[in-house]
Amino acid sequence: MPALRVLMGRIEGKSANTPKEFHQVFATRLLAWYDAHKRDLPWRKDRDPYRVWLSEIMLQQTRVAAVLDHYRRFLKRFPTVQKLAAAREASVLAAWSGLGYYRRARMLHAAAKRVVKEHGGKFPANSAGLLELPGIGRYTAGAIASIAFDEPVAVVDGNVARVVQRFFGMRITGGEVWQMAGAWLDARRPGDFNQAMMELGATVCLPRQPRCLLCPVAGLCATRGELPAAGTASRQRKREIHFGLARRNGAVFLVQRKKEESLMGGMWELPEIAPSSEKPMWSLRHSITVTDYAVRVTEIASPNGAAGKWIPMQRLESLPLTGLARKILRRAEIL
């Protein structure tokens, strides 16, 4: 591979005659840095496949900082895969509330049932077996298999892809990125190596303003900085949305989304109302995927015929609420 041959001469002025030598130098430096500087994250306390799996599903499309409290609460409520499998879907969605992308929670629940029913409560010990479970793709299967079971299989997420691209100074995509990540993998510590690559991308090789002076492998990198922009970033859509907050006798009026809806199906939320000349109680901001919402909340006396239910306030914590509904109810000091 031509790009690798260019990099092999970059070991601080010394010659790297073979890809193997380059990979060894890279892995040695990266793992030493990881051992000294890795973040203290709760799912790194042990290599329990249930906890690794839960963390990986939660971290999909979600920042680490947003996951930490949810992970601890979810694990306290469902400490084992058996407990999760035995739970009602509504209870799982309620525990997941606030993390978004609720299909992940449904797939998590379905996979737990499969693990208990078909595997006696034990996770498959390799990536091929893990791929058979609902909601687990190539990346997640590789992460669980390498971290929990020491399978020498690489993973590629956005952080890993960015590190690889910058090291070669070109936009490598698809199968090429996976091929390079597999070539670099340290088979002696595959789980730690994969986590180190992700940690490097998340904390040092940042999307903007990479911290190259702190990078343990900067001497091997082709760019030591940002790649040229590939194009204009997509713009967030903006939308204004109005909700009514109706409460009486210790209850709040909520409506439930249809279960077949692709976005947050079956979740509970405040009724949406038409804009009015009445000044809202407050406004807040909320983002879902590519849309930024300006949310206006108005106190209303009744739901005006909306198909919903009066929910006692003491039941709200156990109800699968949308993240926005939870945010509004907390702002109203109801939750």
Side-chain angles (χ1 to χ4, degrees), residues 261-328:
E261 288 189 32
S262 59
L263 185 63
M264 295 179 283
M267 307 293 285
W268 292 82
E269 62 185 348
L270 277 73
E272 190 173 349
I273 61 175
S276 70
S277 57
E278 185 177 349
K279 186 177 179 180
M281 296 166 59
W282 64 74
S283 300
L284 54 87
R285 298 284 177 183
H286 189 73
S287 294
I288 301 177
T289 62
V290 296
T291 304
D292 289 331
Y293 291 93
V295 183
R296 316 297 184 205
V297 182
T298 303
E299 185 97 40
I300 59 175
S302 66
N304 293 327
K309 291 183 179 180
W310 289 97
I311 308 293
M313 292 181 185
Q314 62 266 28
R315 279 193 55 210
L316 293 175
E317 280 291 358
S318 61
L319 205 67
L321 300 168
T322 67
L324 178 54
R326 192 170 290 274
K327 185 183 291 187
I328 292 171

Side-chain angles (χ1 to χ4, degrees), residues 2-324:
L4 181 56
R5 285 197 292 272
V6 172
L7 281 180
M8 287 193 305
R10 269 199 190 92
I11 304 181
E12 295 177 355
K14 299 178 183 178
S15 144
N17 295 315
T18 67
K20 183 177 180 181
E21 181 180 349
F22 172 82
H23 298 149
Q24 287 175 342
V25 173
F26 180 91
T28 298
R29 295 183 183 182
L30 180 66
L31 287 168
W33 168 82
Y34 177 74
D35 289 339
H37 299 287
K38 64 184 176 185
R39 288 172 291 181
D40 182 19
L41 301 176
W43 46 86
R44 289 177 176 166
K45 302 296 184 187
D46 55 42
R47 301 198 304 169
D48 180 346
Y50 173 67
R51 298 184 178 206
V52 173
W53 166 62
L54 176 60
S55 71
E56 290 296 338
I57 300 298
M58 283 190 170
L59 287 166
Q60 291 171 8
Q61 299 172 292
T62 309
R63 294 176 297 105
V64 168
V67 164
L68 290 170
D69 286 341
H70 283 90
Y71 174 84
R72 293 187 181 99
R73 288 198 299 268
F74 196 98
L75 198 59
K76 185 176 181 180
R77 189 163 184 181
F78 308 111
T80 65
V81 69
Q82 289 84 358
K83 291 282 188 182
L84 179 57
R88 294 182 303 114
E89 182 180 274
S91 298
V92 177
L93 292 175
W96 191 271
S97 183
L99 276 173
Y101 300 98
Y102 290 92
R103 184 177 181 276
R104 294 180 299 170
R106 291 189 171 92
M107 292 295 100
L108 189 86
H109 194 210
K113 291 181 177 181
R114 286 270 296 274
V115 168
V116 170
K117 183 178 179 180
E118 300 177 13
H119 300 279
K122 295 185 181 297
F123 282 82
N126 56 61
S127 54
L130 290 162
L131 275 169
E132 299 297 320
L133 297 175
I136 293 185
R138 184 178 182 182
Y139 161 79
T140 306
I144 300 168
S146 63
I147 296 169
F149 301 112
D150 276 332
E151 183 181 353
V153 58
V155 301
V156 173
D157 67 351
N159 288 318
V160 174
R162 184 167 59 255
V163 171
V164 172
Q165 289 174 342
R166 284 177 174 165
F167 263 71
F168 286 98
M170 61 183 73
R171 297 194 178 276
I172 308 167
T173 58
E176 273 194 287
V177 180
W178 283 91
Q179 182 184 359
M180 286 310 307
W184 288 4
L185 182 70
D186 187 307
R188 297 165 301 176
R189 296 176 60 188
D192 286 343
F193 183 88
N194 284 332
Q195 291 183 91
M197 286 285 283
M198 291 185 279
E199 190 87 342
L200 187 70
T203 63
V204 176
C205 196
L206 302 173
R208 297 178 183 83
Q209 298 181 331
R211 306 164 72 189
C212 298
L213 292 177
L214 301 179
C215 180
V217 286
L220 312 178
C221 184
T223 62
R224 300 190 191 182
E226 182 60 280
L227 287 169
T232 304
S234 60
R235 292 184 178 180
Q236 287 284 101
R237 294 194 294 268
K238 297 185 181 298
R239 184 184 167 198
E240 185 171 289
I241 189 168
H242 295 252
F243 287 102
L245 176 59
R247 41 189 165 181
R248 73 178 187 193
N249 301 326
V252 180
F253 188 85
L254 299 177
V255 297
Q256 187 177 27
R257 290 181 175 233
K258 294 180 180 179
K259 291 189 177 181
E260 58 270 20
E261 288 189 32
S262 59
L263 185 63
M264 295 179 283
M267 307 293 285
W268 292 82
E269 62 185 348
L270 277 73
E272 190 173 349
I273 61 175
S276 70
S277 57
E278 185 177 349
K279 186 177 179 180
M281 296 166 59
W282 64 74
S283 300
L284 54 87
R285 298 284 177 183
H286 189 73
S287 294
I288 301 177
T289 62
V290 296
T291 304
D292 289 331
Y293 291 93
V295 183
R296 316 297 184 205
V297 182
T298 303
E299 185 97 40
I300 59 175
S302 66
N304 293 327
K309 291 183 179 180
W310 289 97
I311 308 293
M313 292 181 185
Q314 62 266 28
R315 279 193 55 210
L316 293 175
E317 280 291 358
S318 61
L319 205 67
L321 300 168
T322 67
L324 178 54

